[in-house]
Amino acid sequence: MDIYEPFQQVSMWGDSFKVEGGLNSIASPMLLVNTSMENKSEFIPHEPRDSSGADQETTNKDDSKVLRRLAQNREAARKSRLRKKAYVQQLETSRLKLMQLEIEIGRARKQGMYTGNALDTSFMGSSETINPGVVAFEIEYGNWVEEQHRWNEELRNAFQTNASEVQLHLVVQSVLNHYSDLFRMKADAAKADVLYLISGVWKTSLERLFLWIGGSRPSQLLNLILPQLEPLTDQQIASINKLRLSSQQAEDALSQGLDKLQQSLVQDMAVDPLTAANHGFQMAIALEKFEGLEGFVSQADHLRQQTLIHMSRILSTHQAARGLLALGEYFHRLRTLCSLWTSRPCDSIMSPKITP
Amino acid sequence: MNQEKLMHYQVDPWNYYMMRVRRRRMEEEDEMERVMRIVSESAVVIFSSSSCCMCHAMKSLFCGMGVNTMVHELDQDSKGKQMEKTLMRLLATNSTTLPVVFIGGKLVGSMDTLLAFHVNGSLVPLLKQAGALWL
C-alpha cells in the first residue's frame, strides 16, 4: 500500500475492514472515517485560471479554495496514516493475546479444567498488559520438554544398541547442554517476572509438590538416581556422599535466606491500619525486595547446575548416561502421573470454572 | 585553605588534577590495606549488610557447617561505603556484590563462587587449611 496514494488506499482498507469476528470492534471506527474520506475522493484539483482584471477576485477565491482543499487533503492523509499505525499496533497486540490464550487453553487441557487457579492470567498479563518474556518462556519450555523426551529416547537407544564410549559421551554432553539451555531460559524468565518463575506455575501440578525455589532440590535428585548408578567404587561413594551433604547444606542456607526475605516482605506490608500515609513508599521498598528474589532463584539454579556438572565428573560415561536417563525418565513419569490424575473420572460432571 | 585551592585550580589545572588523582590513589590504597588487615584477623571473614538476605544465607551456610566466622556489617560501619567500593574493585565488578567472603586472608568471592567451591568439594579442605574447621 503506497501511502502517497490515499484515495486508492482508502477503498482498499474498506475491503480489508470486513474481517472476521473479534476484530470488527477495532475496525468499526475506521469504517466511519472511510465514508467521510469517500466524499473527498471526488476532489479534482483546480487548475488556477489565468488572472485578468475582472477575474482577479474570482481567481483569488479559486486559489484560496484550491489551497484550502489541498491543505484539507494533506490533513486527511496524515490522519489516515496515523490511524493505520494505530490499527497495526492493535493487530500486533491481539496477535500476542491470541498466543497467550492458546497457551492457557493448552495448559488447561493438560491439567484439567477444574484447576481454576491455573487459568489465572495475572502471570501472562491482564487484558491490558502482556508480559512477552513470560509468553516466550512458556513456548520455549514446551519445546524444551519435547526435546528432553527425544534425548531420553536417544539415551535409551544408545544403551540398547551398545553404543561406543565416544558416542555415549557425546550424548551425555548434549543432554547436559540441554539442561544448561533450561537454566538460561529460566534466568531470562526470572528477569521478566520472578514471581512467575519462583511459583512454578509453568510446571505440572505434581511437579510443584516438590518445588524448591523455582525448581527441584538437587539433593533429592541425587538420592533419586543413586540406585541406578551401581556398581560404584568406594571413592565414588565417598565423593557422592560429600556432594549430597554439601548440596543439602547449601539448600538449607538458601532456604533460610529466603525465609528472611519473606519475613521482611511481610513486615513491609504489615502497616499500622490507622496511618494510611507512606503507602507508596512501603510499596517501593517491597518492590526492591523482588530483586533479592531474583538473586535467590539465580543461586538455586546455579546450585542445580553445579551439582549436575560435578556429578557427571564423579561418574564414568556409562554411569552418567544411566543417571541422566533415570532423571529424564523420572520427570516424564511425574508428568504422565499428573495427567492421569487430572483426567480421572469424577462423580459429577466437571464444569469448567470460568475465571474473569 | 579554600582560597589556596582556588588559586591552584586557576593557575595550574593539570597539576591540581594530578594532585587529586594521587590523593585518591593513596586513599584507595589505604582502604585496600584496611580491608587486607581485617581479613587477616580471622580465618573466615564475611563482609555483609544487616538487611541483605543473601548475606544471611551465607552466614547460615557457615553456621550449618560449624564454622566460626567474623562478620563485618558494612551498613553499620562508618567507612562502609568505601569498603564496599574497594570490594567491588577487588571483584572487578560494577554491581553491588555483598556478601563477600575471605578465607585464610585470601579472597574467595560472592555467594555463587562459594557455592561452586562447596559443591566441587574444595571448600572443606580450604577451611581446614585456614584452621576454621577441624575433623
Side-chain angles (χ1 to χ4, degrees):
Chain A
M1 280 194 226
D2 185 355
I3 54 171
Y4 294 110
E5 293 166 19
F7 304 126
Q8 289 103 308
Q9 184 191 29
V10 159
S11 46
M12 277 165 69
W13 274 19
D15 294 335
S16 67
F17 283 165
K18 289 157 188 80
V19 215
E20 49 279 1
L23 295 173
N24 261 343
S25 53
I26 308 166
S28 38
M30 308 284 193
L31 278 167
L32 287 171
V33 171
N34 194 18
T35 47
S36 65
M37 285 292 288
E38 276 170 355
N39 291 335
K40 293 201 175 68
S41 61
E42 311 292 74
F43 174 75
I44 301 158
H46 271 259
E47 287 291 316
R49 277 185 255 137
D50 288 336
S51 53
S52 54
D55 292 327
Q56 193 77 30
E57 262 186 49
T58 41
T59 312
N60 280 343
K61 267 198 225 152
D62 286 341
D63 274 347
S64 66
K65 271 197 204 163
V66 163
L67 287 172
R68 195 166 55 85
R69 282 188 199 165
L70 282 175
Q72 281 176 338
N73 186 254
R74 267 198 300 276
E75 237 346 88
R78 193 177 69 89
K79 282 190 192 153
S80 115
R81 280 195 291 274
L82 288 173
R83 272 191 303 268
K84 179 186 178 184
K85 204 171 157 194
Y87 176 60
V88 168
Q89 276 176 349
Q90 276 174 318
L91 272 182
E92 294 284 321
T93 319
S94 305
R95 202 178 117 249
L96 277 175
K97 267 191 234 172
L98 187 66
M99 270 168 39
Q100 127 190 350
L101 282 171
E102 280 176 352
I103 289 167
E104 281 181 34
I105 290 176
R107 204 204 283 150
R109 277 204 211 107
K110 271 193 287 174
Q111 298 186 11
M113 294 289 273
Y114 75 99
T115 55
N117 288 334
L119 293 177
D120 182 9
T121 52
S122 63
F123 287 126
M124 296 287 208
S126 62
S127 46
E128 278 83 43
T129 59
I130 300 167
N131 193 329
V134 168
V135 176
F137 177 78
E138 285 277 340
I139 298 169
E140 280 186 342
Y141 182 65
N143 294 338
W144 188 90
V145 168
E146 280 178 26
E147 201 172 326
Q148 180 69 0
H149 193 64
R150 283 199 290 275
W151 279 118
N152 265 10
E153 290 303 312
E154 189 85 26
L155 275 170
R156 226 189 304 267
N157 219 20
F159 280 120
Q160 279 166 354
T161 60
N162 281 326
S164 68
E165 175 99 1
V166 174
Q167 281 173 321
L168 208 54
H169 181 75
L170 275 172
V171 180
V172 164
Q173 282 308 309
S174 307
V175 175
L176 287 175
N177 288 339
H178 191 57
Y179 277 111
S180 298
D181 288 342
L182 177 64
F183 292 126
R184 198 192 15 91
M185 280 159 48
K186 285 175 76 180
D188 291 339
K191 278 198 206 82
D193 187 345
V194 65
L195 289 181
Y196 164 81
L197 187 74
I198 210 172
S199 70
V201 292
W202 46 281
K203 286 178 173 266
T204 60
S205 45
L206 184 54
E207 287 174 274
R208 260 179 271 152
L209 195 61
F210 307 105
L211 198 69
W212 175 76
I213 312 187
S216 319
R217 270 184 189 274
S219 54
Q220 195 174 60
L221 296 184
L222 269 181
N223 289 333
L224 185 82
I225 65 174
L226 210 49
Q228 307 301 320
L229 305 174
E230 319 225 320
L232 292 161
T233 68
D234 284 342
Q235 194 183 28
Q236 282 179 325
I237 293 177
S239 298
I240 290 179
N241 282 335
K242 275 192 220 149
L243 178 62
R244 195 197 348 226
L245 181 63
S246 21
S247 69
Q248 271 170 350
Q249 286 170 339
E251 285 164 30
D252 288 342
L254 287 176
S255 299
Q256 285 181 41
L258 194 57
D259 279 347
K260 182 153 190 270
L261 186 65
Q262 284 177 346
Q263 277 172 37
S264 80
L265 256 176
V266 165
Q267 275 168 5
D268 284 346
M269 291 290 103
V271 212
D272 177 6
L274 294 176
T275 58
N278 271 341
H279 185 59
F281 182 65
Q282 256 144 345
M283 290 283 176
I285 293 184
L287 282 171
E288 271 175 30
K289 303 268 167 80
F290 291 168
E291 275 179 35
L293 266 180
E294 259 186 71
F296 278 99
V297 171
S298 162
Q299 294 299 336
D301 275 348
H302 180 68
L303 184 65
R304 289 176 189 116
Q305 187 154 34
Q306 290 302 310
T307 311
L308 204 59
I309 291 173
H310 191 57
M311 205 41 183
S312 70
R313 287 208 194 115
I314 296 175
L315 302 173
S316 70
T317 311
H318 210 257
Q319 287 166 324
R322 264 187 285 153
L324 287 172
L325 181 58
L327 198 60
E329 189 59 22
Y330 164 72
F331 283 113
H332 181 66
R333 286 184 199 171
L334 270 188
R335 288 184 209 115
T336 313
L337 183 60
C338 193
S339 47
L340 273 177
W341 167 257
T342 53
S343 60
R344 75 196 185 287
C346 273
D347 291 330
S348 54
I349 299 169
M350 294 190 297
S351 55
K353 264 194 202 159
I354 301 165
T355 48
Chain B
M1 218 261 272
N2 275 345
Q3 197 74 36
E4 220 171 54
K5 270 195 183 153
L6 201 60
M7 280 164 61
H8 259 182
Y9 179 79
Q10 285 174 328
V11 169
D12 198 349
W14 184 247
N15 244 353
Y16 181 67
Y17 166 72
M18 289 305 289
M19 187 177 78
R20 284 179 63 109
V21 166
R22 253 180 264 128
R23 183 177 314 154
R24 203 185 333 129
R25 293 263 163 79
M26 274 165 52
E27 284 171 1
E28 285 175 6
E29 278 171 26
D30 285 342
E31 288 301 316
M32 193 64 79
E33 271 180 39
R34 184 151 184 266
V35 167
M36 288 298 136
R37 212 182 335 116
I38 292 174
V39 305
S40 58
E41 283 169 11
S42 186
V44 179
V45 178
I46 303 178
F47 289 98
S48 143
S49 168
S50 49
S51 59
C52 160
C53 295
M54 194 55 82
C55 303
H56 183 79
M58 189 183 271
K59 291 177 218 162
S60 308
L61 179 61
F62 282 112
C63 205
M65 295 170 69
V67 172
N68 270 333
T69 59
M70 174 158 97
V71 178
H72 238 87
E73 304 284 5
L74 291 185
D75 57 339
Q76 290 164 359
D77 188 321
S78 52
K79 290 200 168 178
K81 273 260 149 186
Q82 285 125 306
M83 284 215 268
E84 204 178 319
K85 284 204 190 116
T86 313
L87 290 170
M88 276 161 63
R89 233 177 293 129
L90 270 174
L91 285 169
T93 174
N94 279 329
S95 53
T96 46
T97 54
L98 297 182
V100 177
V101 65
F102 287 74
I103 299 181
K106 297 210 195 84
L107 175 67
V108 171
S110 280
M111 188 61 158
D112 49 358
T113 325
L114 187 69
L115 287 182
F117 276 16
H118 198 25
V119 165
N120 72 21
S122 36
L123 182 61
V124 168
L126 197 62
L127 287 169
K128 284 191 183 162
Q129 200 179 28
L133 196 60
W134 302 279
L135 210 206

mmCIF file of all heavy atoms in Angstrom, chain A residues 6-15 18 30-43 76:
data_model
loop_
_atom_site.group_PDB
_atom_site.id
_atom_site.type_symbol
_atom_site.label_atom_id
_atom_site.label_comp_id
_atom_site.label_asym_id
_atom_site.label_seq_id
_atom_site.Cartn_x
_atom_site.Cartn_y
_atom_site.Cartn_z
ATOM 1 N N PRO A 6 -3.508 8.169 -1.189
ATOM 2 C CA PRO A 6 -4.500 7.920 -0.148
ATOM 3 C C PRO A 6 -5.849 7.495 -0.676
ATOM 4 O O PRO A 6 -6.579 6.796 -0.009
ATOM 5 C CB PRO A 6 -4.598 9.261 0.603
ATOM 6 C CG PRO A 6 -4.035 10.263 -0.327
ATOM 7 C CD PRO A 6 -3.066 9.574 -1.210
ATOM 8 N N PHE A 7 -6.235 7.906 -1.859
ATOM 9 C CA PHE A 7 -7.592 7.633 -2.313
ATOM 10 C C PHE A 7 -7.780 6.156 -2.602
ATOM 11 O O PHE A 7 -8.705 5.522 -2.145
ATOM 12 C CB PHE A 7 -7.939 8.489 -3.526
ATOM 13 C CG PHE A 7 -7.759 9.948 -3.257
ATOM 14 C CD1 PHE A 7 -6.983 10.747 -4.065
ATOM 15 C CD2 PHE A 7 -8.351 10.528 -2.131
ATOM 16 C CE1 PHE A 7 -6.815 12.078 -3.785
ATOM 17 C CE2 PHE A 7 -8.170 11.861 -1.849
ATOM 18 C CZ PHE A 7 -7.399 12.650 -2.688
ATOM 19 N N GLN A 8 -6.851 5.607 -3.392
ATOM 20 C CA GLN A 8 -6.984 4.177 -3.678
ATOM 21 C C GLN A 8 -6.874 3.392 -2.388
ATOM 22 O O GLN A 8 -7.604 2.454 -2.149
ATOM 23 C CB GLN A 8 -5.873 3.688 -4.616
ATOM 24 C CG GLN A 8 -5.983 4.182 -6.041
ATOM 25 C CD GLN A 8 -5.007 5.285 -6.282
ATOM 26 O OE1 GLN A 8 -4.985 6.255 -5.511
ATOM 27 N NE2 GLN A 8 -4.207 5.153 -7.326
ATOM 28 N N GLN A 9 -5.943 3.855 -1.538
ATOM 29 C CA GLN A 9 -5.687 3.149 -0.288
ATOM 30 C C GLN A 9 -6.969 3.040 0.532
ATOM 31 O O GLN A 9 -7.274 2.029 1.103
ATOM 32 C CB GLN A 9 -4.630 3.923 0.474
ATOM 33 C CG GLN A 9 -4.209 3.253 1.748
ATOM 34 C CD GLN A 9 -3.370 4.192 2.590
ATOM 35 O OE1 GLN A 9 -3.555 5.395 2.500
ATOM 36 N NE2 GLN A 9 -2.490 3.647 3.375
ATOM 37 N N VAL A 10 -7.716 4.142 0.549
ATOM 38 C CA VAL A 10 -8.917 4.163 1.392
ATOM 39 C C VAL A 10 -9.883 3.096 0.947
ATOM 40 O O VAL A 10 -10.448 2.358 1.741
ATOM 41 C CB VAL A 10 -9.554 5.565 1.335
ATOM 42 C CG1 VAL A 10 -11.002 5.495 1.739
ATOM 43 C CG2 VAL A 10 -8.787 6.494 2.271
ATOM 44 N N SER A 11 -10.058 2.981 -0.351
ATOM 45 C CA SER A 11 -11.031 1.983 -0.807
ATOM 46 C C SER A 11 -10.527 0.586 -0.521
ATOM 47 O O SER A 11 -11.299 -0.303 -0.199
ATOM 48 C CB SER A 11 -11.331 2.185 -2.290
ATOM 49 O OG SER A 11 -10.120 2.375 -2.982
ATOM 50 N N MET A 12 -9.208 0.339 -0.571
ATOM 51 C CA MET A 12 -8.691 -0.987 -0.248
ATOM 52 C C MET A 12 -8.925 -1.309 1.214
ATOM 53 O O MET A 12 -9.287 -2.413 1.557
ATOM 54 C CB MET A 12 -7.181 -1.052 -0.523
ATOM 55 C CG MET A 12 -6.867 -1.340 -1.965
ATOM 56 S SD MET A 12 -5.157 -0.985 -2.335
ATOM 57 C CE MET A 12 -4.327 -2.247 -1.437
ATOM 58 N N TRP A 13 -8.685 -0.299 2.072
ATOM 59 C CA TRP A 13 -8.921 -0.516 3.506
ATOM 60 C C TRP A 13 -10.356 -0.892 3.770
ATOM 61 O O TRP A 13 -10.660 -1.700 4.625
ATOM 62 C CB TRP A 13 -8.594 0.750 4.276
ATOM 63 C CG TRP A 13 -7.179 0.857 4.628
ATOM 64 C CD1 TRP A 13 -6.146 0.192 4.069
ATOM 65 C CD2 TRP A 13 -6.633 1.669 5.650
ATOM 66 N NE1 TRP A 13 -4.991 0.551 4.670
ATOM 67 C CE2 TRP A 13 -5.246 1.444 5.633
ATOM 68 C CE3 TRP A 13 -7.173 2.568 6.562
ATOM 69 C CZ2 TRP A 13 -4.418 2.100 6.510
ATOM 70 C CZ3 TRP A 13 -6.337 3.217 7.434
ATOM 71 C CH2 TRP A 13 -4.970 2.970 7.389
ATOM 72 N N GLY A 14 -11.229 -0.268 2.997
ATOM 73 C CA GLY A 14 -12.652 -0.538 3.206
ATOM 74 C C GLY A 14 -12.926 -2.026 3.078
ATOM 75 O O GLY A 14 -13.641 -2.616 3.884
ATOM 76 N N ASP A 15 -12.303 -2.658 2.088
ATOM 77 C CA ASP A 15 -12.481 -4.106 1.912
ATOM 78 C C ASP A 15 -11.876 -4.878 3.072
ATOM 79 O O ASP A 15 -12.506 -5.771 3.609
ATOM 80 C CB ASP A 15 -11.784 -4.565 0.617
ATOM 81 C CG ASP A 15 -12.448 -3.979 -0.608
ATOM 82 O OD1 ASP A 15 -13.658 -3.658 -0.507
ATOM 83 O OD2 ASP A 15 -11.783 -3.804 -1.619
ATOM 84 N N LYS A 18 -13.663 -5.559 6.561
ATOM 85 C CA LYS A 18 -14.699 -6.549 6.839
ATOM 86 C C LYS A 18 -14.017 -7.851 7.231
ATOM 87 O O LYS A 18 -13.939 -8.795 6.479
ATOM 88 C CB LYS A 18 -15.585 -6.726 5.605
ATOM 89 C CG LYS A 18 -16.460 -5.496 5.400
ATOM 90 C CD LYS A 18 -16.926 -5.345 3.966
ATOM 91 C CE LYS A 18 -17.628 -3.999 3.779
ATOM 92 N NZ LYS A 18 -16.690 -2.876 3.625
ATOM 93 N N MET A 30 -12.764 2.801 11.888
ATOM 94 C CA MET A 30 -12.171 3.046 10.580
ATOM 95 C C MET A 30 -13.253 3.190 9.526
ATOM 96 O O MET A 30 -13.161 4.030 8.648
ATOM 97 C CB MET A 30 -11.266 1.891 10.184
ATOM 98 C CG MET A 30 -10.250 1.558 11.239
ATOM 99 S SD MET A 30 -8.938 2.756 11.233
ATOM 100 C CE MET A 30 -7.761 1.938 12.238
ATOM 101 N N LEU A 31 -14.285 2.335 9.654
ATOM 102 C CA LEU A 31 -15.349 2.348 8.653
ATOM 103 C C LEU A 31 -16.024 3.708 8.607
ATOM 104 O O LEU A 31 -16.337 4.236 7.558
ATOM 105 C CB LEU A 31 -16.389 1.276 8.987
ATOM 106 C CG LEU A 31 -16.009 -0.139 8.526
ATOM 107 C CD1 LEU A 31 -16.926 -1.157 9.157
ATOM 108 C CD2 LEU A 31 -16.092 -0.219 7.012
ATOM 109 N N LEU A 32 -16.226 4.279 9.815
ATOM 110 C CA LEU A 32 -16.883 5.581 9.884
ATOM 111 C C LEU A 32 -16.062 6.607 9.119
ATOM 112 O O LEU A 32 -16.582 7.398 8.353
ATOM 113 C CB LEU A 32 -17.019 6.023 11.351
ATOM 114 C CG LEU A 32 -18.070 5.261 12.156
ATOM 115 C CD1 LEU A 32 -17.964 5.631 13.616
ATOM 116 C CD2 LEU A 32 -19.454 5.582 11.624
ATOM 117 N N VAL A 33 -14.781 6.546 9.339
ATOM 118 C CA VAL A 33 -13.906 7.512 8.683
ATOM 119 C C VAL A 33 -13.904 7.293 7.188
ATOM 120 O O VAL A 33 -13.856 8.227 6.415
ATOM 121 C CB VAL A 33 -12.471 7.355 9.237
ATOM 122 C CG1 VAL A 33 -11.496 8.171 8.447
ATOM 123 C CG2 VAL A 33 -12.456 7.745 10.710
ATOM 124 N N ASN A 34 -13.965 6.047 6.812
ATOM 125 C CA ASN A 34 -13.907 5.648 5.421
ATOM 126 C C ASN A 34 -14.932 6.415 4.597
ATOM 127 O O ASN A 34 -14.638 6.930 3.536
ATOM 128 C CB ASN A 34 -14.156 4.146 5.331
ATOM 129 C CG ASN A 34 -13.779 3.607 3.983
ATOM 130 O OD1 ASN A 34 -13.035 4.254 3.242
ATOM 131 N ND2 ASN A 34 -14.277 2.439 3.671
ATOM 132 N N THR A 35 -16.163 6.468 5.136
ATOM 133 C CA THR A 35 -17.229 7.112 4.357
ATOM 134 C C THR A 35 -16.934 8.585 4.160
ATOM 135 O O THR A 35 -17.141 9.137 3.096
ATOM 136 C CB THR A 35 -18.585 6.970 5.069
ATOM 137 O OG1 THR A 35 -18.409 7.328 6.449
ATOM 138 C CG2 THR A 35 -19.063 5.524 4.994
ATOM 139 N N SER A 36 -16.410 9.227 5.215
ATOM 140 C CA SER A 36 -16.135 10.649 5.066
ATOM 141 C C SER A 36 -15.001 10.878 4.087
ATOM 142 O O SER A 36 -14.934 11.895 3.436
ATOM 143 C CB SER A 36 -15.831 11.286 6.423
ATOM 144 O OG SER A 36 -14.646 10.729 6.936
ATOM 145 N N MET A 37 -14.101 9.891 3.994
ATOM 146 C CA MET A 37 -12.995 10.004 3.035
ATOM 147 C C MET A 37 -13.498 9.892 1.617
ATOM 148 O O MET A 37 -12.975 10.526 0.720
ATOM 149 C CB MET A 37 -11.954 8.905 3.294
ATOM 150 C CG MET A 37 -11.097 9.153 4.521
ATOM 151 S SD MET A 37 -10.013 10.535 4.294
ATOM 152 C CE MET A 37 -8.834 9.871 3.153
ATOM 153 N N GLU A 38 -14.537 9.066 1.443
ATOM 154 C CA GLU A 38 -15.012 8.847 0.083
ATOM 155 C C GLU A 38 -15.544 10.119 -0.547
ATOM 156 O O GLU A 38 -15.467 10.302 -1.743
ATOM 157 C CB GLU A 38 -16.114 7.771 0.071
ATOM 158 C CG GLU A 38 -15.499 6.383 0.045
ATOM 159 C CD GLU A 38 -16.527 5.297 0.266
ATOM 160 O OE1 GLU A 38 -17.709 5.623 0.539
ATOM 161 O OE2 GLU A 38 -16.146 4.127 0.171
ATOM 162 N N ASN A 39 -16.081 10.973 0.314
ATOM 163 C CA ASN A 39 -16.549 12.253 -0.213
ATOM 164 C C ASN A 39 -15.407 12.996 -0.866
ATOM 165 O O ASN A 39 -15.559 13.620 -1.899
ATOM 166 C CB ASN A 39 -17.121 13.108 0.924
ATOM 167 C CG ASN A 39 -18.412 12.499 1.441
ATOM 168 O OD1 ASN A 39 -19.084 11.774 0.694
ATOM 169 N ND2 ASN A 39 -18.769 12.770 2.676
ATOM 170 N N LYS A 40 -14.249 12.923 -0.230
ATOM 171 C CA LYS A 40 -13.126 13.677 -0.743
ATOM 172 C C LYS A 40 -12.528 13.033 -1.992
ATOM 173 O O LYS A 40 -11.746 13.639 -2.681
ATOM 174 C CB LYS A 40 -12.045 13.798 0.333
ATOM 175 C CG LYS A 40 -12.465 14.655 1.518
ATOM 176 C CD LYS A 40 -11.264 15.171 2.284
ATOM 177 C CE LYS A 40 -11.721 16.116 3.378
ATOM 178 N NZ LYS A 40 -12.479 15.410 4.446
ATOM 179 N N SER A 41 -12.909 11.785 -2.251
ATOM 180 C CA SER A 41 -12.306 11.131 -3.412
ATOM 181 C C SER A 41 -12.786 11.757 -4.705
ATOM 182 O O SER A 41 -12.232 11.518 -5.752
ATOM 183 C CB SER A 41 -12.605 9.638 -3.379
ATOM 184 O OG SER A 41 -13.999 9.451 -3.439
ATOM 185 N N GLU A 42 -13.834 12.563 -4.599
ATOM 186 C CA GLU A 42 -14.313 13.226 -5.805
ATOM 187 C C GLU A 42 -13.457 14.422 -6.148
ATOM 188 O O GLU A 42 -13.599 15.029 -7.181
ATOM 189 C CB GLU A 42 -15.763 13.739 -5.610
ATOM 190 C CG GLU A 42 -16.684 12.676 -5.032
ATOM 191 C CD GLU A 42 -16.935 11.547 -6.010
ATOM 192 O OE1 GLU A 42 -16.019 10.711 -6.232
ATOM 193 O OE2 GLU A 42 -18.035 11.494 -6.564
ATOM 194 N N PHE A 43 -12.586 14.761 -5.268
ATOM 195 C CA PHE A 43 -11.833 16.002 -5.412
ATOM 196 C C PHE A 43 -10.892 15.910 -6.608
ATOM 197 O O PHE A 43 -10.128 14.970 -6.770
ATOM 198 C CB PHE A 43 -11.036 16.260 -4.134
ATOM 199 C CG PHE A 43 -10.115 17.447 -4.256
ATOM 200 C CD1 PHE A 43 -10.632 18.733 -4.228
ATOM 201 C CD2 PHE A 43 -8.754 17.285 -4.429
ATOM 202 C CE1 PHE A 43 -9.801 19.828 -4.341
ATOM 203 C CE2 PHE A 43 -7.918 18.367 -4.533
ATOM 204 C CZ PHE A 43 -8.438 19.649 -4.495
ATOM 205 N N ALA A 76 -6.103 15.113 5.953
ATOM 206 C CA ALA A 76 -6.811 13.832 5.935
ATOM 207 C C ALA A 76 -5.837 12.686 5.714
ATOM 208 O O ALA A 76 -5.937 11.638 6.360
ATOM 209 C CB ALA A 76 -7.876 13.864 4.842
#
